[in-house]
Amino acid sequence: MKLVRFGPKGAEKPGMIDGQGTLRDLSGVIDDVAGDVLLPAGLAKLAGLDAATLPTVPGTPRLGPCVGRIGKLVCIGLNYSDHAAEAGVAPPAEPVIFLKANSSICGPDDPILLPRGSQKTDWEVELAFVIGKGGRYIEEADWADHVAGYCVCNDVSERAYQLESTGQWTKGKSADNFAPLGPWLVTADEIADPQALDLWLDVDGVRQQAGNTGTMIFPVREIIAYVSRFMTLEPGDVISTGTPPGVGMGKKPPTYLRKGQTVTLGVDGLGAQRQAVIDWDDRPL
C-alpha cells in the first residue's frame, strides 16, 4: 500500500494511492496515518479494504508528511563510506545517532526555507523507515517485525550551524522544513529488500547524488537493533538512514543551496519530492 496525508498544513487527512494512481480518502476509516494504524493489525485492516469503494480526492491537493503525530525523528549520520570520505572523516565503527526537531518535518513538496543568514544549507537524499510495532532491545533477527514501511527523506542541513563555531548536529539539522517526508509511506510488504534501492537527487535538473542503499555501512536491520539499545522505539517513529555521496559540502569548491533553486529527489519504489528553495522571510503564511 501507498499511504498518504493530504490537505492544508496541520489539517491533513489520511489517504491511499490505489492501483491506478488515484488518491482515495481514508478519513472515513481512520483518523490519521499514525499510531496504532501502523501496527500490523492496523495495516492489515487497511490492506483488506476495497480501494474502489473509497471516495476519490479531486484535483491535486498538497501532500503533507506521510506519517502523522511522529514521536521522534532519529537520523543516522555518515552511513555511507563515500559520504564519510567527502566529509573528511573515517567511516564510523558504530552508527552515529542524532535527532531532528519535529518542527522540521514537512510535506514532500513544501519549500526548503533558508534560515536567516544561512550561507551553507545543503541537501541529503535518504531512505527513511517508519516503526510499526515498537520495542526496546530489539534483536537484529526480528527487525522486519518492527517496520511498518518506508519513505523518502531530504535531510536538509545547515553546515555552518552543524559544524562550525560550537557546532551541534541537531542545531544544524532542525530548522523549519528541514525534513520533508513522503510523498507516501510504502508498506514494508512492497519493498522486497531495503538494501537494494537506488537513491538520487538533482539541483536545478543537474544530478548531484546517485547511490544505492546496498552500500550502507549499517543496514536497516542493524540500525533498528542499535537504536533500540538506547531508546524505546514507538509506532510512528521515523528513522532516516543516511545519505550517499554528492552533498554540497563535498563539492570542490563546496556548493550550497540558493534562493530560487529547485531540488528534486527520490528513492526507487518510494516516489519523488520537489522543493523550491526560498528565504525564511518569503515563506507562505
Side-chain angles (χ1 to χ4, degrees):
M1 290 182 294
K2 294 181 175 68
L3 302 176
V4 300
R5 301 171 70 249
F6 64 93
K9 181 178 180 180
E12 293 92 346
K13 295 181 178 181
M16 172 190 294
I17 305 296
D18 70 16
Q20 288 70 50
T22 300
L23 175 56
R24 301 280 182 166
D25 189 343
L26 277 173
S27 59
V29 182
I30 57 175
D31 70 333
D32 203 351
V33 181
D36 288 352
V37 169
L38 299 168
L39 293 173
L43 294 178
K45 177 182 176 181
L46 295 181
L49 296 174
D50 180 356
T53 65
L54 299 170
T56 59
V57 178
T60 54
R62 168 190 174 270
L63 295 182
C66 57
V67 181
R69 302 197 299 269
I70 295 170
K72 50 188 173 288
L73 174 51
V74 182
C75 297
I76 307 300
L78 304 172
N79 197 25
Y80 291 73
S81 57
D82 288 348
H83 174 53
E86 70 178 353
V89 298
E94 297 182 18
V96 175
I97 299 175
F98 64 94
L99 300 177
K100 290 176 80 92
N102 281 23
S103 53
S104 69
I105 298 168
C106 66
D109 299 330
D110 290 344
I112 291 173
L113 304 178
L114 297 175
R116 289 176 181 169
S118 167
Q119 297 296 318
K120 297 183 179 181
T121 294
D122 205 346
W123 56 81
E124 294 191 19
V125 61
E126 304 197 0
L127 168 70
F129 62 91
V130 178
I131 296 297
K133 184 175 73 172
R136 183 81 191 273
Y137 301 112
I138 295 168
E139 295 291 338
E140 189 173 322
D142 299 329
W143 72 273
D145 297 338
H146 297 267
V147 176
Y150 301 89
C151 64
V152 182
C153 178
N154 189 357
D155 175 19
V156 185
S157 310
E158 213 300 336
R159 301 301 188 188
Y161 301 169
Q162 178 189 357
L163 300 171
E164 298 175 13
S165 186
T166 60
Q168 298 179 11
W169 282 31
T170 295
K171 181 175 68 177
K173 301 277 191 171
S174 291
D176 291 8
N177 286 33
F178 268 28
L181 292 179
W184 38 70
L185 171 65
V186 179
T187 50
D189 59 293
E190 294 198 10
I191 302 300
D193 183 359
Q195 306 310 144
L197 303 175
D198 288 335
L199 309 83
W200 59 272
L201 182 144
D202 296 348
V203 178
D204 289 343
V206 177
R207 184 60 42 94
Q208 302 293 336
Q209 289 186 275
N212 185 280
T213 57
T215 63
M216 283 182 186
I217 299 170
F218 307 105
V220 170
R221 64 180 184 275
E222 292 185 31
I223 291 170
I224 289 180
Y226 187 83
V227 173
S228 70
R229 287 169 51 187
F230 304 100
M231 63 192 79
T232 296
L233 297 176
E234 299 171 317
D237 285 348
V238 178
I239 301 180
S240 200
T241 61
T243 198
V247 300
M249 178 179 65
K251 305 295 182 184
K252 299 188 183 304
T255 304
Y256 298 108
L257 293 172
R258 305 183 309 276
K259 177 181 177 179
Q261 292 187 306
T262 300
V263 180
T264 51
L265 61 147
V267 179
D268 275 359
L270 303 181
Q273 303 181 353
R274 182 181 187 277
Q275 295 124 22
V277 181
I278 67 174
D279 286 334
W280 164 263
D281 291 311
D282 294 334
R283 69 194 186 281
L285 299 176

